[in-house]
Amino acid sequence: MRLWTFLRDREWSTLAGYALFVALMTAGYYYNITFVQLGLIDLGTRLVGLPETTVSLWMGVLALCTFAAAVATGVAMDRRGWSTNLRTKLRLLLAVVCVQFVLTVVAPHVRTAPGFGAWILAGSAALGVGFPVSFALAIDTIPVPDRGYVAAAITAITYGLANAIPLDWNVVVFSQLMTVAMAPGIVVLGVLASGRVDAVERVLDDLEAQQDAFGRGRFNHPDPVRTRSLAFVAPLVLMFGVFFVDSLGFLRIIETPTLLLTSWQSPQLSTRLLIAGAHVVGAAAAGVLYVNFSRNAVFLWIFALFALSHVLYTTELRLAAVFPTTAGTPSLLNPLLYAVAVSFYTTMNFALWPDLATVDTIGTHSALGIGLAGWVATFASTAVALYLAHAEVTLLTHLNLVNALALLLLFGLAVGAYAKRMHAIARSKRGPRDADRVPEDSAGSAAEGER
Amino acid sequence: MSVTDVLPLLVVVLLLIGASGADPDAMHVVFEGARDADAVVAGGATDPIVVAGGTVTVPANATVGSPVYVIGGTAVVEGTVDAEVTVLAGNLSVLDDAAITGDLRSFGGTTTVAARASVPRRTTVDVAPRERTLAERLGFLAMQALALAALAFLLARRAPDALATVGDAMTGHALVSGVVGALAGVTLLVGFVAMAFTVVLVPVSVLGVVGELLVLLYALAAAGARLGRALPIDRPDVAAAAGAALLVVALDLLDAIPVVGALATLTVVSVGFGAVLVTYFGWQAFEPADIPG
């Protein structure tokens, strides 16, 4: 881990970069998984009084608008050179956090459907600008070999806090907490973006100078990954699958009081702490695996963990159908395994997009990656979940479907990786002349063994 | 009580019922509440009764022809059970003037039989580990050390390179090996237990657990061999055997320290298990992914 070298050499600017990136990403992700994903549903259903279906549709609108805003921002960042200008990124981020602060303060006071819709549109614009900008900070702050560990730290801290701190899933509670947490963040970002503090300016100069060393992601060797290449599209599709599987299953789980109140919303602190611990352990394990194994190996683990946790959920539901008196006391093992799976893919998500980009593509690739895989997958899974709810599909059938999807992706990836390896071997047997005719993407894949 | 808490015992009961020739589908499982046994099985049927929670009573003057399995909760016999009674966990009380005409077998839990109860055939199998004497403990430890030493000796003669490769992964890539070992060990175990719940896959589940144990043995032998390389012994096979014996003794000594002992064992097991997996049983040295930068 390069961090130890920087610590030994007392490279304070670089260390400050680590801290800045982890703090910003942790804060942003915590805001996303609490206020945005849970608080807005509470706002729409309880305070505004909209039906759950309508709120879900608005959440879909949020996902699509966020994606659109992110792509526009990401492309603009790369074309206008904002991606490589640290101060511009910090100023953009300051603007985003200021807007989010106002929106967070205002949210609990929204009482009408048009107001809720307007909040969603403004919120999605802020989110859409915010995440490509914050991911683009990786090229200034985090050395490539450490990205897996840093991603693990972000995931562990975020999910550890989110589960260990017993908060009601209530927009008022979230709003109060976020307001208090964001205020000092705005001050810090304001100082960083002001350009008036000499010591800060020196640190920013040092960080920006690191782009040469940190700017080329792990999977961009020997050639940079192009946006329209298989090297980018394949992980994008896999990540879409991961987000879709998680979201589709979780949407139904949190609508089932028996499952929710004995796990993520348990009144027992020990239960929540166990789940928090599982998230931390899962993130640490994912960090180690990401750094030491190929990307596909980590994807295989993710799908296997999701498949296994859904096998356990469905097995328990089947047994509860046979022995109805046990239905009220689900096992804690299932959410624990689920938490590990979630931490795995979240860690992967934080490390993958900067590693698939260079200083020239970090904006676009982050926007497309998080936007398509994260937000659009959430939109799609929400739509499917609504359809399944409308069709009155049972919990068991629903989770069975999710399980089937996870298994399909698991075996699809295994077969795909095997076929790719076979293709590479066959090509190497054919000799250099034939190999020259192989498209560039595939040649790059074989060279690195990752793509 | 969670269904997964009693499920392993329920699987055992299913196997016992299947082995006795009865139909497992016909069994009645009680998880909570207070019930009379003759109300659980209607009309004098002989369907098996499984007590997993709550209290099931065979009332005085009543005769139940069903075999009774106790895996949790409490079973109280005041009348007559004209079949076998098996206690795996939970409590069984056979009161005065009550009778069990079949075998009463107790493998765990608490069984209380009153003085004036009629239980002609009673078997108690003590599955709980009893306290060993010092001599017994030392003998058992020596036996374990010898067995692992013999395995390490054999492997060091037959496949020295593989053993060395696994050992090198344990020391050179301990963190990766530990993570892979812990993750694979836990998920495989959970997977095999989930398979056992299906009953149909019980043989696969048993095979899987046996396979996991064999991998673990191989890992411990490799760890011992690695330890043996640090000993001042020239012959590699003898060094491997000595290292393996030393490992067993060291782990046993560490086990005397609370928490530390368990953590040390868990770490060695995880790192060893992972090292075997990441090196493909020692066929290929582990190389971490190459990350430029």
Side-chain angles (χ1 to χ4, degrees):
Chain A
M1 200 172 173
R2 297 280 300 279
L3 177 66
W4 309 130
T5 313
F6 296 131
L7 267 172
R8 202 172 48 237
D9 298 344
R10 299 181 180 187
E11 294 191 29
W12 303 120
S13 297
T14 307
L15 294 170
Y18 274 85
L20 176 69
F21 187 74
V22 171
L24 284 172
M25 295 302 262
T26 304
Y29 195 56
Y30 186 84
Y31 181 82
N32 190 30
I33 62 170
T34 54
F35 190 85
V36 177
Q37 289 186 10
L38 302 170
L40 288 185
I41 294 174
D42 178 60
L43 172 65
T45 51
R46 194 172 56 84
L47 297 185
V48 181
L50 295 170
E52 272 186 33
T53 315
T54 311
V55 174
S56 297
L57 286 173
W58 272 114
M59 294 303 280
V61 171
L62 173 88
L64 284 184
C65 290
T66 303
F67 170 62
V71 172
T73 307
V75 171
M77 282 171 66
D78 289 342
R79 288 196 179 162
R80 291 170 187 267
W82 300 344
S83 296
T84 50
N85 189 326
L86 180 56
R87 286 167 181 81
T88 304
K89 286 186 278 190
L90 289 172
R91 281 175 201 135
L92 277 171
L93 217 49
L94 175 64
V96 166
V97 178
C98 286
V99 172
Q100 282 180 330
F101 182 78
V102 174
L103 287 171
T104 307
V105 173
V106 166
H109 305 288
V110 174
R111 288 291 184 277
T112 62
F116 183 68
W119 196 105
I120 292 283
L121 293 176
S124 59
L127 285 168
V129 175
F131 73 74
V133 173
S134 42
F135 268 79
L137 291 174
I139 61 171
D140 306 286
T141 56
I142 309 298
V144 178
D146 282 8
R147 283 187 182 158
Y149 297 122
V150 169
I154 295 165
T155 306
I157 297 169
T158 310
Y159 278 120
L161 286 176
N163 286 283
I165 299 175
L167 288 179
D168 278 342
W169 288 2
N170 176 318
V171 71
V172 179
V173 176
F174 286 141
S175 172
Q176 286 166 348
L177 178 76
M178 296 300 163
T179 307
V180 172
M182 284 164 105
I186 290 174
V187 175
V188 172
L189 271 175
V191 171
L192 289 172
S194 68
R196 292 181 183 178
V197 183
D198 288 343
V200 170
E201 288 305 297
R202 281 196 296 276
V203 171
L204 294 184
D205 285 339
D206 289 344
L207 291 178
E208 209 167 53
Q210 295 182 148
Q211 282 179 11
D212 289 340
F214 302 171
R216 193 168 181 145
R218 171 180 171 180
F219 305 114
N220 291 272
H221 298 272
D223 302 314
V225 172
R226 288 180 293 112
T227 311
R228 292 181 187 176
S229 67
L230 189 65
F232 183 72
V233 174
L236 190 67
V237 170
L238 289 172
M239 236 15 207
F240 183 95
V242 173
F243 272 96
F244 188 85
V245 164
D246 172 37
S247 180
L248 189 61
F250 196 66
L251 277 171
R252 189 63 188 256
I253 287 171
I254 61 170
E255 279 182 12
T256 310
T258 324
L259 299 180
L260 188 63
L261 294 173
T262 51
S263 54
W264 289 274
Q265 278 284 278
S266 166
Q268 306 272 344
L269 183 64
S270 57
T271 304
R272 288 165 178 237
L273 285 177
L274 268 175
I275 294 176
H279 273 298
V280 172
V281 169
V288 171
L289 294 185
Y290 181 85
V291 171
N292 286 282
F293 290 91
S294 72
R295 196 177 58 214
N296 281 346
V298 187
F299 269 122
L300 282 171
W301 268 114
I302 293 169
F303 291 129
L305 285 170
F306 269 121
L308 187 59
S309 60
H310 281 98
V311 162
L312 292 183
Y313 267 116
T314 50
T315 302
E316 192 164 83
L317 287 170
R318 286 194 177 97
L319 285 163
V322 180
F323 309 119
T325 49
T326 65
T329 50
S331 165
L332 186 58
L333 179 67
N334 306 354
L336 289 180
L337 199 63
Y338 200 97
V340 172
V342 168
S343 278
F344 254 69
Y345 90 78
T346 308
T347 300
M348 177 86 159
N349 188 52
F350 280 123
L352 182 65
W353 307 115
D355 272 349
L356 280 169
T358 63
V359 290
D360 299 321
T361 55
I362 184 75
T364 309
H365 286 192
S366 298
L368 282 173
I370 315 286
L372 261 177
W375 290 98
V376 178
T378 307
F379 165 76
S381 63
T382 307
V384 174
L386 279 175
Y387 170 77
L388 293 176
H390 184 71
E392 296 181 353
V393 166
T394 63
L395 176 65
L396 176 59
T397 310
H398 186 123
L399 293 183
N400 219 17
L401 193 71
V402 181
N403 189 24
L405 200 57
L407 284 170
L408 188 70
L409 285 163
L410 173 68
F411 286 102
L413 176 59
V415 170
Y418 188 87
K420 200 182 83 176
R421 176 83 188 125
M422 200 168 68
H423 177 248
I425 292 169
R427 201 181 54 214
S428 68
K429 299 272 184 200
R430 267 190 262 137
R433 283 191 63 186
D434 284 344
D436 288 346
R437 288 203 290 266
V438 175
E440 188 187 331
D441 291 341
S442 308
S445 308
E448 210 217 342
E450 285 281 348
R451 288 187 255 153
Chain B
M1 182 185 290
S2 163
V3 72
T4 41
D5 294 341
V6 293
L7 217 50
L9 289 176
L10 209 50
V11 171
V12 175
V13 169
L14 279 170
L15 292 174
L16 288 173
I17 292 173
S20 71
D23 180 10
D25 284 345
M27 72 176 184
H28 297 269
V29 186
V30 177
F31 280 99
E32 60 185 8
R35 310 269 305 270
D36 281 348
D38 48 358
V40 175
V41 286
T46 56
D47 299 343
I49 298 172
V50 181
V51 184
T55 303
V56 173
T57 305
V58 178
N61 303 321
T63 299
V64 171
S66 307
V68 178
Y69 297 87
V70 185
I71 59 171
T74 302
V76 181
V77 182
E78 296 171 355
T80 302
V81 178
D82 192 14
E84 292 177 352
V85 177
T86 306
V87 185
L88 297 173
N91 308 302
L92 170 72
S93 296
V94 188
L95 304 186
D96 282 332
D97 303 324
I100 296 174
T101 60
D103 289 336
L104 167 58
R105 294 175 298 182
S106 303
F107 296 92
T110 311
T111 303
T112 314
V113 179
R116 287 194 289 118
S118 168
V119 183
R121 291 190 300 278
R122 182 177 173 187
T123 318
T124 302
V125 181
D126 189 8
V127 290
R130 72 184 168 81
E131 196 65 34
R132 292 196 182 99
T133 64
L134 182 65
E136 282 176 330
R137 280 186 58 197
L138 288 175
F140 185 63
L141 181 64
M143 202 176 70
Q144 282 177 303
L146 273 175
L148 194 67
L151 180 66
F153 181 84
L154 253 172
L155 287 169
R157 288 180 75 90
R158 295 283 174 108
D161 293 343
L163 214 55
T165 305
V166 175
D168 289 343
M170 282 184 206
T171 50
H173 303 284
L175 182 64
V176 186
S177 299
V179 167
V180 171
L183 203 60
V186 171
T187 48
L188 283 172
L189 203 60
V190 170
F192 292 138
V193 173
M195 281 183 188
F197 290 172
T198 65
V199 180
V200 180
L201 290 178
V202 165
V204 181
S205 165
V206 172
L207 274 178
V209 173
V210 170
E212 237 185 307
L213 287 175
L214 287 176
V215 174
L216 200 58
L217 268 179
Y218 180 54
L220 287 174
R226 182 68 191 81
L227 194 62
R229 272 154 63 183
L231 298 175
I233 300 172
D234 291 336
R235 275 184 58 183
D237 47 4
V238 178
L246 195 63
L247 179 73
V248 172
V249 174
L251 287 179
D252 192 74
L253 287 175
L254 277 172
D255 201 35
I257 310 170
V259 184
V260 176
L263 278 178
T265 307
L266 199 66
T267 305
V268 170
V269 164
S270 299
V271 171
F273 195 78
V276 172
L277 295 185
V278 299
T279 59
Y280 300 94
F281 286 74
W283 286 109
Q284 185 180 303
F286 173 69
E287 289 293 337
D290 179 30
I291 304 181

